[in-house]
């Protein structure tokens, strides 16, 4: 971990390194200031607290590095590196070990002091679990894209084969008609010939391929529905973990304030500011979540689902969703705008979310308003 942290630090720019060091130093000094004001330690206790929070700040820096790598990959649509997950698991393991050691060494100090010292370990574990959930979502997205691309490639191959077969059947039919006409002109020879038998026999292959194409459509729709449910569940888990971390942070500051007592000094002002900031963040996240649900309801009520004919036309023309660059497969997940363009419902939700409302949002392709 130390080697990985050293390589990461050397790879950062001067500004990023300065910001990272400032954050670590600020976290260490902030914790020492608050805890020292509560327990009033002597020299030995201060040395122990400094060592404890130095270890926690080091683990926080490693976890933050792994989390930023995962978040950057998720936002850019790339698959996160496996090294970020391994580093995150190492941090979680070290965090759990540090919490257990703290419980064993300071069990005689009382539950109030144990809660005070191990709360940062719990917060670090929640943050690491959140990053791991995001990594799992990115891994599922990568597997989804790979499998869907394979199914679409197989479907395109079958469509090309069916079209070639249909063109071949039409050309054979025209050739048979010309030959029968010439035979009739020659005196009616070979009148008993039955050209339809060969045509009917050649239809068996295209019919079977059409059935396989329809089976692939159903398989892609079921796969997309399953993937949507999994991603929705992961999104709910991430939101719940983030909300739990914020609530726990507010309770942690409140616990410090109770132990310190209300004296209207500098420490009280710092605690009040942090509690106010944390509570404001909680309300902001809940408001954003409610806004997302409202956008989802607006999409279902104000935009009609694309018809089978619209999706079939988009497949034939090779049109894709310009947001995620994936093809149109499931009718229930595709919305048709008044301008005629098609989008996946989650992708259209991202467009509306950036615009803050459906009334202000515009089509990314033609820039026409989503609502006339």
């Amino acid at each position: 971990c130390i080697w990985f942290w050293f390589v990461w630090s050397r790879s950062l720019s001067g500004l990023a390194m300065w910001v990272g060091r400032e954050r670590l130093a600020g976290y260490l000094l902030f914790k020492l200031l608050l805890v020292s004001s509560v327990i009033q330690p002597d020299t030995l206790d201060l040395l122990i607290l400094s060592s404890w929070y130095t270890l926690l700040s080091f683990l926080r820096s490693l976890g933050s590095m792994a989390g930023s790598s995962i978040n950057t990959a998720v936002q850019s649509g790339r698959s996160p590196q496996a090294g970020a997950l391994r580093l995150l698991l190492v941090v979680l393991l070290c965090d759990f070990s540090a919490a257990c050691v703290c419980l064993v060494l300071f069990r005689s100090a009382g539950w109030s002091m144990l809660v005070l010292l191990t709360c940062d370990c719990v917060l670090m574990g929640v943050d690491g679990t959140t990053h791991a959930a995001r990594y799992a979502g990115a891994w599922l997205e990568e597997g989804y894209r790979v499998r869907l691309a394979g199914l679409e490639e197989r479907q395109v191959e079958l469509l090309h084969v069916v079209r070639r077969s249909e063109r071949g059947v039409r050309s054979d039919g025209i050739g048979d008609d010309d030959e029968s006409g010439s035979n009739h002109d020659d005196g009616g020879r070979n009148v008993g010939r039955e050209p339809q038998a060969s045509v009917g026999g050649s239809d068996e292959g295209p019919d079977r391929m059409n059935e396989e194409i329809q089976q692939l459509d159903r398989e892609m729709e079921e796969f997309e529905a399953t993937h949507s449910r999994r991603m929705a569940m992961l999104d709910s888990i991430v939101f719940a973990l983030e909300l739990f971390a914020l609530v726990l942070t507010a309770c942690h500051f409140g616990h410090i304030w109770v132990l310190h007592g209300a004296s209207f000094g500098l420490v009280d002002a710092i605690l009040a500011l942090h509690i106010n900031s944390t509570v404001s963040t909680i309300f902001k996240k809940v408001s954003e979540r409610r806004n997302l649900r409202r956008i989802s309801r607006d999409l279902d009520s104000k935009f009609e689902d694309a018809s089978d004919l619209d999706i079939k036309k988009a497949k034939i023309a090779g049109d894709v969703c310009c947001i995620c660059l994936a093809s149109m497969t499931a009718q229930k997940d595709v919305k048709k705008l008044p301008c005629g363009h098609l989008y996946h419902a989650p992708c259209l939700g991202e467009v509306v979310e950036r615009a803050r409302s459906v009334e202000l949002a515009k089509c990314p392709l033609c820039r026409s308003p989503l609502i006339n």
Side-chain angles (χ1 to χ4, degrees):
C1 291
I2 297 175
W3 176 84
F4 202 96
W5 181 82
F6 177 75
V7 173
W8 170 71
S9 300
R10 292 293 298 272
S11 64
L12 290 177
S13 62
L15 180 60
M17 289 180 62
W18 181 80
V19 172
R21 291 171 181 173
E22 287 292 322
R23 287 180 178 177
L24 291 180
Y27 170 79
L28 181 59
L29 293 176
F30 174 72
K31 286 297 180 180
L32 288 177
L33 174 63
L34 292 184
V35 177
S36 299
S37 65
V38 171
I39 64 177
Q40 297 178 356
D42 55 14
T43 304
L44 180 59
D45 293 336
L46 187 60
L47 179 61
I48 294 176
L49 290 176
S50 300
S51 303
W52 172 249
Y53 284 110
T54 300
L55 173 63
L56 292 184
S57 63
F58 176 70
L59 292 177
R60 279 173 63 92
S61 65
L62 292 179
S64 177
M65 178 180 64
S68 62
S69 176
I70 293 173
N71 293 334
T72 302
V74 169
Q75 292 174 2
S76 60
R78 296 182 288 104
S79 178
Q81 297 180 358
L85 179 62
R86 288 195 293 267
L87 178 61
L88 191 62
L89 294 178
V90 170
V91 170
L92 289 175
L93 179 61
C94 294
D95 176 60
F96 178 75
S97 301
C100 292
V101 171
C102 180
L103 291 174
V104 172
L105 295 180
F106 299 102
R107 63 180 183 274
S108 59
W111 282 106
S112 180
M113 188 58 59
L114 287 178
V115 170
L116 179 66
L117 295 176
T118 57
C119 184
D120 289 283
C121 295
V122 177
L123 287 173
M124 197 184 309
V126 173
D127 290 338
T129 307
T130 304
H131 296 318
R134 289 198 180 99
Y135 184 92
W139 180 76
L140 288 176
E141 281 286 352
E142 182 67 20
Y144 166 75
R145 287 194 294 265
V146 171
R147 183 179 177 186
L148 192 63
L151 293 175
E152 290 176 350
E153 184 178 357
R154 174 60 180 166
Q155 192 178 46
V156 169
E157 291 177 357
L158 291 175
L159 286 173
H160 287 323
V161 172
V162 170
R163 290 175 185 174
R164 287 197 299 267
S165 300
E166 291 176 351
R167 286 196 295 267
V169 169
R170 286 196 297 268
S171 61
D172 291 341
I174 295 174
D176 291 340
D177 291 340
D178 293 340
E179 185 178 354
S180 62
S182 61
N183 290 336
H184 179 72
D185 294 337
D186 289 339
R189 289 173 296 179
N190 299 326
V191 175
R193 185 177 179 182
E194 296 180 357
Q196 298 297 329
S198 61
V199 175
S202 63
D203 285 341
E204 182 179 356
D207 290 341
R208 186 170 59 251
M209 291 181 184
N210 285 325
E211 292 179 359
E212 187 173 354
I213 291 173
Q214 295 177 359
Q215 177 64 28
L216 286 174
D217 281 334
R218 291 191 293 268
E219 184 176 351
M220 283 189 288
E221 290 182 3
E222 293 176 357
F223 181 57
E224 284 190 352
T226 303
H227 177 71
S228 299
R229 288 194 298 268
R230 290 174 179 173
M231 295 305 297
M233 182 178 64
L234 275 177
D235 182 67
S236 300
I237 291 174
V238 169
F239 174 74
L241 288 174
E242 291 178 345
L243 200 63
F244 174 72
L246 290 172
V247 173
L248 186 59
T249 301
C251 294
H252 177 57
F253 289 133
H255 180 219
I256 295 177
W257 205 347
V258 170
L259 293 177
H260 177 264
S263 58
F264 302 100
L266 177 61
V267 175
D268 299 271
I270 294 175
L271 290 173
L273 288 175
H274 279 79
I275 291 176
N276 178 68
S277 176
T278 305
V279 173
S280 300
T281 306
I282 292 174
F283 281 107
K284 181 180 178 182
K285 281 192 172 294
V286 172
S287 177
E288 290 176 352
R289 189 73 175 183
R290 293 178 60 185
N291 187 37
L292 288 177
R293 293 187 178 277
R294 181 182 58 81
I295 289 174
S296 178
R297 291 194 299 268
D298 290 342
L299 292 180
D300 292 335
S301 61
K302 297 182 179 181
F303 300 101
E304 61 179 2
D305 294 332
S307 63
D308 292 333
L309 181 60
D310 293 329
I311 297 178
K312 187 175 296 184
K313 288 180 179 179
K315 285 183 179 180
I316 295 175
D319 294 338
V320 297
C321 176
C322 70
I323 304 298
C324 64
L325 301 181
S327 62
M328 310 295 179
T329 54
Q331 177 182 348
K332 61 183 179 181
D333 288 332
V334 179
K335 295 294 183 180
K336 184 177 181 181
L337 301 184
C339 59
H341 294 125
L342 304 181
Y343 294 94
H344 293 118
C347 300
L348 188 60
E350 293 179 4
V351 174
V352 177
E353 183 182 357
R354 293 191 189 100
R356 300 296 182 182
S357 67
V358 180
E359 291 76 12
L360 298 177
K362 295 182 179 180
C363 175
L365 288 175
C366 62
R367 307 304 300 170
S368 62
L370 297 188
I371 298 179
N372 294 328

